[in-house]
Amino acid sequence: MSGLSLRIDLDTSGEATWALDDLMANAALAAAPRRETAFIGRASADITGTLAADILVKAGIDVTGLDRYSDVPLPLTLASGDAETICSIPSAEAFNPVWPRFEAGDVMVWGGYFSLDPTVHAMMLDLLRYAAARKVTMVYVPYFNALQVPRVTRVMPLIFDNLELADTVIATTDIIETIFGNSDMAAVYNNNINFYAPRFFAVDSKKGTLAEYCKGEAVTRPAAMGAAEVIASIVISL
């Protein structure tokens, strides 16, 4: 569950390529060939939102729960060479998705700035609590960029709301250090995460490793794939 966004890359000839620019959406694409997948979230009702949604549909992902807003365009990153321009205007419309039917054994994965956005937070929590009550495995993936969250202290209460509903947390080491101000992942697990979620996966993209912390034990293994593929692999194994 997250909000859709697009990245459009322009080359010197004027040709353009585009791709989904959200970790949750790309994790869903990675999981779809191996597990039945649905995407709940938001996208604009214009052509860019439809383009983003169609990428999921073509991968066989159910988008019935995708809420479409009409007051602002889809968040876009325009890139050419080393230059990037981010265009993002928050929607003021209420988040009102179609709720899926959850069954025991399902896995709910949510995160991103979407999970911290005050315009969607209350409805999102209602949906997450409903999923948890249906014995769904709950996986929280915190991530955001500095433009979205210039001061982490302002969103810490919302982060803790998400942690309270999580069975498992998956995050990159850099975002965990940004949130908790600590680069020691074992200490973060013991001091900040274990109280909420018994299982924590830390993805270190620079070292190419994945560390798993659970019930006082830690296991580190190589993880050469990207964060979206790592999330998909973990979710499929749950």
Side-chain angles (χ1 to χ4, degrees):
M1 179 164 59
S2 188
L4 292 183
S5 57
L6 279 176
R7 178 184 177 89
I8 300 175
D9 287 282
L10 304 172
D11 64 22
T12 54
S13 67
E15 295 293 323
T17 58
W18 56 85
L20 291 174
D21 194 30
D22 175 72
L23 183 58
M24 287 292 88
N26 284 305
L29 289 175
R34 294 173 286 171
R35 181 163 183 158
E36 185 177 354
T37 304
F39 190 88
I40 306 166
R42 305 195 86 188
S44 61
D46 62 8
I47 189 171
T48 55
T50 299
L51 180 63
D54 283 349
I55 296 173
L56 297 175
V57 172
K58 289 177 182 177
I61 296 171
D62 182 353
V63 296
T64 304
L66 187 64
D67 182 42
R68 306 294 291 270
Y69 53 83
S70 58
D71 59 337
V72 296
L74 194 79
L76 297 174
T77 297
L78 304 177
S80 180
D82 295 330
E84 288 188 351
T85 299
I86 299 174
C87 308
S88 181
I89 305 171
S91 172
E93 294 183 10
F95 177 48
N96 188 29
V98 175
W99 288 25
R101 177 172 178 168
F102 293 108
E103 303 288 351
D106 290 344
V107 180
M108 164 66 84
V109 188
W110 80 98
Y113 179 72
F114 180 85
S115 68
L116 308 176
D117 185 343
T119 64
V120 306
H121 192 68
M123 173 60 78
M124 183 203 69
L125 286 184
D126 286 344
L127 179 56
L128 293 175
R129 288 171 181 141
Y130 170 73
R134 300 286 294 175
K135 307 301 182 184
V136 170
T137 300
M138 308 293 286
V139 179
Y140 175 43
V141 183
Y143 62 96
F144 47 79
N145 65 46
L147 292 176
Q148 294 170 315
V149 183
R151 291 183 61 186
V152 175
T153 53
R154 293 180 177 177
V155 298
M156 284 306 296
L158 305 179
I159 290 174
F160 287 126
D161 281 346
N162 288 295
L163 286 172
E164 285 178 354
L165 288 164
D167 300 309
T168 297
V169 175
I170 308 172
T172 59
T173 54
D174 57 343
I175 200 68
I176 290 296
E177 184 173 358
T178 298
I179 292 172
F180 296 108
N182 192 343
S183 61
D184 185 336
M185 295 297 108
V188 170
Y189 170 69
N190 291 322
N191 298 331
N192 304 104
I193 293 177
N194 189 33
F195 177 78
Y196 300 98
R199 202 172 189 189
F200 170 47
F201 292 89
V203 183
D204 191 325
S205 300
K206 294 179 181 178
K207 295 180 178 178
T209 60
L210 173 67
E212 178 183 356
Y213 302 89
C214 185
K215 298 178 180 178
E217 297 183 359
V219 177
T220 301
R221 61 181 72 93
M225 62 187 75
E229 290 75 18
V230 170
I231 293 167
S233 297
I234 293 170
V235 170
I236 290 166
S237 70
L238 294 175

